[in-house]
Amino acid sequence: MNQKIILAILLSGTMALSSCKTNKSVAAKSATESSKSKGSDDGMKAYDKVITKEAKTDEGLFKVHQVKDKYYYEIPNNTLKKDMLLVSRIAQIPSNLGGGYMNAGSKTNEQVVSWERFQDKILLKVKSYSEITRDSTAAITNSVKVNNYEPTLYAFDIETVSKDSTATVIDVTKFFSSDIPALSGLNSRLRSTYKVRNLDSDRSFINSIKSFPENIEVKQDFTYNASEPPSNGSVGSISLQMNQSMILLPEDPMQPRIYDPRVGFFTIDQIDYSSSALKADENTYIRRWRLEPKDPEAYARGELVEPVKPIVYYLDPGTPENLKEYIKQGIEDWQKPFETAGFKNAIIAKDAPSPEEDPEFSPEDIRYSVVRYVASTTRNAVGPSVSDPRSGEIIESDIIWYHNHLRSYRNRYLLETGAANPSARTLNTDPEEIGEMMRQVIAHEVGHALGFPHNMAASFAYDVEDYRDGDFTQENGIAASLMDYARYNYIAQPGDENIRFVRQMGPYDHYAVNWGYRVIPNASTPEAEVETLNKWIMEKAGDPKYKFGRQSSSFDPQSQTEAIGNDPVKASTYGIKNLKYVAKNLPEWTSDTTNDYDDLEELYGELLGVWNRYVGHVVTNVGGVNEDLKKPNQPGMVYSNVDKETQKESVEWLNENVFSTPEWLIDPSIVQNIDYAGYAETMRAAQARHLTNLLSLDRIGRLLNAETVNSDYYSAINLFDDARKGVFAPNGKLDIYERNLQRAFVDHMSYLMTGEMQRGRRGGDYYDVNQSDVRSIVRGELNSLQSTLRGKMRGTNDTITKFHYQDLLARIDNILNPEK
């Protein structure tokens, strides 16, 4: 063969081989890049280069590594896409944040999250169970998904993978030290109020990250630059400590129980699009702990059975020794209601184990619910809980008790029961009596943590005169439920014997625990339980001891906070009679024994608050609407107006006890020893508050509305006429209190001529004031008042009184003729 041809063939083969190698190299590079884009671990740092020998590692749900000032999560791949609950709480709070209505322990956000891998990143996705399809095979499932796209809270670069490739490592330092609104604790309103500019990164840092078997706890110290902070204004900043709890939710959600508004429970809401009805189902489920009997067969036979997993509360190691027994009693007082539901030893109180007994124990571990004793001057106690939004299952709760809260109860005990209860007439309340008060407060907060809201109708279940019966009060306490805001028996009078003055567990608590927690055998779906649940309600229907009254029902005199008894007029009459006795003796019980006026000043201020509450209970009768929650198959209406006679009696009571100056509240032996001035202003503010509340737009609107459904009603005109006659009853020389109150009346008339109704959350009280009868009624009242004042002015020779009437007439003229 020709050598040139042979050489050409050899060269061609070499070039072909070279081209083949090149193409394979390009293909391999392309495959590698493609693999990386799909989440390959190639090209990442070696594990030991990220998690170095300097790392401090905490084992738990995730491994948490601290390397110098950086924190890393080592997330097991088998936890990716699993539902977790991220709960944000304020761990430590600056003074007066939120106007004093926020406390350490306040929850600021709660959201379901999941960790998901996307290419070379780990995404923290926010999930929602408010809109679901219970049937995951339904065609509409895809529509729900694409119309509820899950937002990404944060995207993390993957730093490395574990040596066995079963976990992914990310750096969470920036995430937990940045100003992320979902975690910050300062909402837009607070930021606006305090003129927050930005997070000061130099004064913000991760305090600690701890990993436990079912949760991870992060503490962050945040400092924000703010022009108008709530306290320590010279610093120009707000500092607070946040706690982030990330909790692994149960693999198998608990079977939900369908909510019925006739029994009070905290709830979760879901919209189910897999319904066969003509619209999506709006499902509401109660929040409760998962209690399952150890022996289902014995339980079904009606025997008391222990739960598989009881509810256990541990006492904070910092709890004072002298208070521990009362806290434990308050927790375990709920054992009896749970026995009504078929469970024994369902809730247990324990001391926290010592480090020697259990070195791993921590109050922050989600496996442990704790009654935390907080060394704080805050006067409060709270019972928050964490629940699974998929089912309503309560997973954990911490009861928070603030040290100074007992002082509030001592003060209220003295003021509300001191007239009839000699043992309350002291600043040094008997330790056993204080302990009993603490026991009941702890039990009340545990009730919240068990799923129960306030039941404000429970104190309306008993007749007013029953509170003066020793045998009755010893057996029944002062309300049908511990979950009412009924703290003390302020009705009992001096000389009444064997009276119980402090609240206790009641029949409604047994009923509600049974309704919410009793296992219904063979009911495998929430819907299968409804017939039995409704039967239990109907068995108690009509008995006021088993009625639930919502705290939000501000229009309902049956469901009032801090009230007791089924007749607000009679109850407040007894209460004020007792307050007069207390006011007369207050110096003797305080300053005379301490040789100091501080306690007298504090208690006098709180006495005014107690008086205001008693008055407010009567005001609610006027324009009052009774709310009796019921189903259509029950007789009677859900909403009914308070009868005409009761409303008229209430206004007459206000004229006598409030608008006719209560001079006993301005006792010189008190006021002249605690302040150099301001007594007239104190009384003016108190009287004006109740007058404007009585003549409020929402109350007038309810009276106008009553005309449409009731032929014999107390009208808005009746209200104005009765109130005006009370306020302007005095003749001759007027004192400063009478003059102040009359000016308050006229000024409020000016507001009613121009004010507008604001739409509330439920919208029920909203109406168009301009096109209602309000302006015409006010105009008519002012015209009548002009004639009355002219006559009164002619009948007085007192100079200041005459000037006062001239001023009122001028004010009325300006209201009626604003353009003159």
Side-chain angles (χ1 to χ4, degrees):
M1 185 179 292
N2 187 296
Q3 289 183 346
K4 288 184 178 181
I5 295 174
I6 294 173
L7 181 60
I9 292 172
L10 290 173
L11 287 172
S12 174
T14 302
M15 290 174 67
L17 287 171
S18 176
S19 175
C20 181
K21 288 180 181 179
T22 300
N23 289 338
K24 284 182 179 180
S25 176
V26 170
K29 182 178 180 181
S30 175
T32 299
E33 290 175 350
S34 175
S35 177
K36 283 185 178 181
S37 70
K38 293 179 180 178
S40 168
D41 299 331
D42 293 345
M44 295 178 184
K45 291 182 181 179
Y47 184 83
D48 293 339
K49 295 292 185 180
V50 179
I51 310 303
T52 65
K53 292 181 179 180
E54 296 177 310
K56 299 175 183 178
T57 299
D58 190 17
E59 301 269 359
L61 177 61
F62 299 166
K63 287 183 181 178
V64 174
H65 308 283
Q66 182 181 0
V67 182
K68 295 182 179 178
D69 60 350
K70 289 191 173 184
Y71 288 87
Y72 297 90
Y73 280 3
E74 187 171 323
I75 305 174
N77 293 339
N78 62 10
T79 64
L80 294 176
K81 294 192 175 183
K82 287 193 174 182
D83 289 343
M84 301 184 184
L85 196 63
L86 181 57
V87 182
S88 302
R89 287 199 183 98
I90 301 178
Q92 296 190 51
I93 192 169
S95 175
N96 204 42
L97 185 71
Y101 292 99
M102 297 176 69
N103 298 305
S106 295
K107 183 165 60 178
T108 60
N109 199 11
E110 184 175 300
Q111 52 198 329
V112 178
V113 298
S114 66
W115 301 87
E116 299 181 12
R117 181 162 180 170
F118 176 72
Q119 297 181 359
D120 287 342
K121 292 185 181 294
I122 293 291
L123 307 181
L124 184 59
K125 305 284 285 185
V126 177
K127 304 183 70 174
S128 173
Y129 283 91
S130 61
E131 298 186 11
I132 64 163
T133 51
R134 191 183 304 174
D135 179 4
S136 60
T137 64
I140 199 172
T141 300
N142 184 63
S143 179
V144 172
K145 184 175 181 180
V146 299
N147 285 285
N148 293 273
Y149 185 65
E150 298 165 354
T152 299
L153 184 61
Y154 205 85
F156 300 84
D157 291 329
I158 297 175
E159 303 294 328
T160 187
V161 296
S162 61
K163 292 181 178 180
D164 60 2
S165 298
T166 62
T168 305
V169 179
I170 60 173
D171 183 348
V172 297
T173 312
K174 185 177 179 182
F175 175 65
F176 285 120
S177 56
S178 300
D179 187 15
I180 297 174
L183 309 180
S184 74
L186 291 182
N187 58 32
S188 58
R189 181 184 61 82
L190 293 175
R191 289 172 186 250
S192 175
T193 299
Y194 303 126
K195 293 183 169 50
V196 173
R197 297 189 300 278
N198 62 317
L199 181 72
D200 189 332
S201 58
D202 292 334
R203 292 186 287 169
S204 301
F205 50 88
I206 298 171
N207 187 291
S208 66
I209 302 182
K210 296 179 181 179
S211 188
F212 301 98
E214 297 174 15
N215 61 297
I216 296 177
E217 302 293 321
V218 180
K219 276 195 167 62
Q220 309 150 282
D221 278 65
F222 285 152
T223 294
Y224 294 87
N225 292 310
S227 300
E228 297 181 11
S231 56
N232 298 311
S234 61
V235 179
S237 61
I238 299 172
S239 293
L240 69 160
Q241 187 177 88
M242 293 297 298
N243 189 93
Q244 311 294 342
S245 301
M246 193 180 68
I247 305 154
L248 181 65
L249 290 174
E251 195 79 34
D252 180 25
M254 179 185 71
Q255 177 173 299
R257 177 157 290 181
I258 294 174
Y259 169 67
D260 190 307
R262 295 171 293 177
V263 185
F265 269 90
F266 294 125
T267 61
I268 63 166
D269 296 314
Q270 291 180 352
I271 296 177
D272 183 5
Y273 284 97
S274 58
S275 168
S276 59
L278 298 179
K279 65 179 183 64
D281 283 340
E282 297 182 13
N283 298 323
T284 301
Y285 301 118
I286 68 172
R287 292 176 57 191
R288 57 179 181 153
W289 295 77
R290 187 189 297 223
L291 288 186
E292 299 165 334
K294 282 184 178 178
D295 186 342
E297 293 182 357
Y299 185 90
R301 292 194 300 268
E303 299 176 26
L304 286 180
V305 175
E306 290 188 341
V308 173
K309 183 180 179 182
I311 303 164
V312 180
Y313 277 97
Y314 292 87
L315 271 60
D316 189 322
T319 305
E321 289 292 336
N322 64 313
L323 298 177
K324 284 186 175 181
E325 66 172 299
Y326 304 113
I327 295 175
K328 289 180 179 178
Q329 288 171 346
I331 296 167
E332 295 188 348
D333 278 344
W334 284 97
Q335 287 190 355
K336 289 296 182 183
F338 274 111
E339 288 178 7
T340 303
F343 292 101
K344 66 179 179 181
N345 300 322
I347 183 166
I348 301 168
K350 293 183 177 181
D351 288 321
S354 66
E356 292 74 26
E357 293 170 328
D358 185 355
E360 297 299 316
F361 177 86
S362 171
E364 296 168 346
D365 190 334
I366 200 70
R367 294 175 298 169
Y368 306 115
S369 294
V370 179
V371 179
R372 296 175 182 257
Y373 195 96
V374 181
S376 167
T377 57
T378 298
R379 296 189 187 184
N380 199 10
V382 293
S385 62
V386 174
S387 61
D388 186 342
R390 303 169 303 176
S391 65
E393 177 185 355
I394 297 175
I395 298 168
E396 178 267 355
S397 84
D398 285 342
I399 309 301
I400 302 173
W401 177 276
Y402 299 95
H403 180 74
N404 273 21
H405 197 34
L406 283 176
R407 189 177 184 91
S408 297
Y409 279 83
R410 179 207 69 175
N411 290 358
R412 292 278 296 273
Y413 192 53
L414 184 153
L415 295 170
E416 296 186 26
T417 77
N421 180 15
S423 66
R425 302 167 188 169
T426 176
L427 297 174
N428 299 308
T429 312
D430 181 87
E432 288 191 10
E433 293 180 48
I434 281 288
E436 176 64 12
M437 296 173 211
M438 184 177 200
R439 170 183 180 175
Q440 301 305 328
V441 180
I442 290 293
H444 177 95
E445 300 306 335
V446 170
H448 286 318
L450 295 174
F452 302 117
H454 292 132
N455 177 8
M456 295 309 183
S459 55
F460 203 83
Y462 301 151
D463 186 83
V464 168
E465 294 300 328
D466 289 336
Y467 289 88
R468 302 188 62 187
D469 183 328
D471 292 340
F472 181 91
T473 60
Q474 291 297 337
E475 181 179 352
N476 298 284
I478 59 176
S481 171
L482 186 67
M483 300 313 297
D484 198 324
Y485 261 175
R487 305 172 201 266
Y488 296 113
N489 181 350
Y490 59 77
I491 289 173
Q493 296 294 294
D496 294 344
E497 297 179 351
N498 192 35
I499 299 296
R500 179 174 177 87
F501 291 97
V502 181
R503 60 185 170 179
Q504 64 183 25
M505 202 77 70
Y508 173 87
D509 302 311
H510 289 256
Y511 162 70
V513 170
N514 181 76
W515 190 92
Y517 280 91
R518 178 171 285 277
V519 175
I520 301 175
N522 303 318
S524 58
T525 67
E527 291 75 16
E529 296 182 335
V530 171
E531 182 179 352
T532 299
L533 294 172
N534 184 65
K535 176 185 174 185
W536 292 342
I537 293 174
M538 294 304 294
E539 288 173 351
K540 305 295 186 183
D543 189 331
K545 294 192 299 296
Y546 303 102
K547 177 183 174 180
F548 173 68
R550 297 186 294 189
Q551 185 175 3
S552 60
S553 301
S554 59
F555 52 83
D556 184 0
Q558 299 177 124
S559 299
Q560 297 201 71
T561 181
E562 311 287 359
I564 58 174
N566 62 356
D567 184 338
V569 171
K570 185 183 287 189
S572 291
T573 299
Y574 278 133
I576 287 180
K577 186 177 180 182
N578 284 338
L579 272 187
K580 289 178 179 178
Y581 181 97
V582 170
K584 182 179 179 180
N585 291 280
L586 198 56
E588 178 186 344
W589 300 344
T590 58
S591 54
D592 289 359
T593 61
T594 63
N595 198 32
D596 189 292
Y597 289 119
D598 288 349
D599 288 295
L600 177 63
E601 181 177 4
E602 178 181 328
L603 281 158
Y604 174 70
E606 293 192 26
L607 183 145
L608 291 175
V610 174
W611 178 77
N612 280 321
R613 282 195 292 272
Y614 295 166
V615 173
H617 297 156
V618 177
V619 172
T620 305
N621 272 341
V622 185
V625 179
N626 298 319
E627 181 180 59
D628 297 295
L629 301 173
K630 56 184 65 179
K631 294 286 188 178
N633 64 349
Q634 294 177 256
M637 300 295 181
V638 174
Y639 297 103
S640 59
N641 298 104
V642 171
D643 65 90
K644 180 178 181 178
E645 291 72 21
T646 297
Q647 296 193 58
K648 187 170 183 63
E649 178 191 20
S650 298
V651 178
E652 290 172 352
W653 187 94
L654 293 167
N655 283 336
E656 179 181 348
N657 291 278
V658 183
F659 305 144
S660 179
T661 309
E663 295 183 5
W664 61 273
L665 282 172
I666 311 296
D667 186 338
S669 67
I670 297 176
V671 297
Q672 288 189 284
N673 284 315
I674 62 176
D675 205 347
Y676 66 91
Y679 329 133
E681 175 57 22
T682 296
M683 182 54 64
R684 183 211 63 76
Q687 290 181 298
R689 168 188 174 182
H690 296 299
L691 179 65
T692 56
N693 186 18
L694 178 66
L695 300 176
S696 62
L697 284 170
D698 60 327
R699 197 176 312 281
I700 297 168
R702 292 197 295 274
L703 291 173
L704 295 172
N705 185 70
E707 181 180 354
T708 66
V709 293
N710 191 346
S711 59
D712 185 25
Y713 62 98
Y714 187 72
S715 69
I717 289 179
N718 294 147
L719 170 59
F720 277 94
D721 188 53
D722 289 343
R724 173 172 46 80
K725 288 176 179 177
V727 172
F728 291 91
N731 292 308
K733 180 180 178 179
L734 302 182
D735 63 27
I736 189 171
Y737 306 117
E738 293 163 339
R739 299 195 302 269
N740 283 345
L741 180 60
Q742 291 180 3
R743 278 189 288 268
F745 183 95
V746 173
D747 284 354
H748 189 60
M749 293 299 104
S750 176
Y751 163 73
L752 293 177
M753 286 294 284
T754 59
E756 296 294 340
M757 223 6 230
Q758 298 298 315
R759 191 179 294 275
R761 283 183 301 172
R762 297 177 65 204
D765 283 335
Y766 181 83
Y767 64 101
D768 190 321
V769 176
N770 280 321
Q771 295 185 21
S772 75
D773 289 327
V774 171
R775 313 288 199 223
S776 56
I777 293 173
V778 172
R779 191 176 299 276
E781 281 296 313
L782 289 175
N783 284 323
S784 297
L785 186 55
Q786 278 182 320
S787 299
T788 300
L789 293 177
R790 290 189 185 106
K792 285 179 176 290
M793 189 165 61
R794 289 192 296 268
T796 183
N797 293 320
D798 180 64
T799 303
I800 188 62
T801 302
K802 190 178 291 288
F803 287 167
H804 167 69
Y805 289 140
Q806 289 172 348
D807 176 60
L808 290 185
L809 287 167
R811 292 184 188 213
I812 292 172
D813 188 54
N814 286 336
I815 298 170
L816 295 176
N817 304 288
E819 298 179 0
K820 280 181 61 177

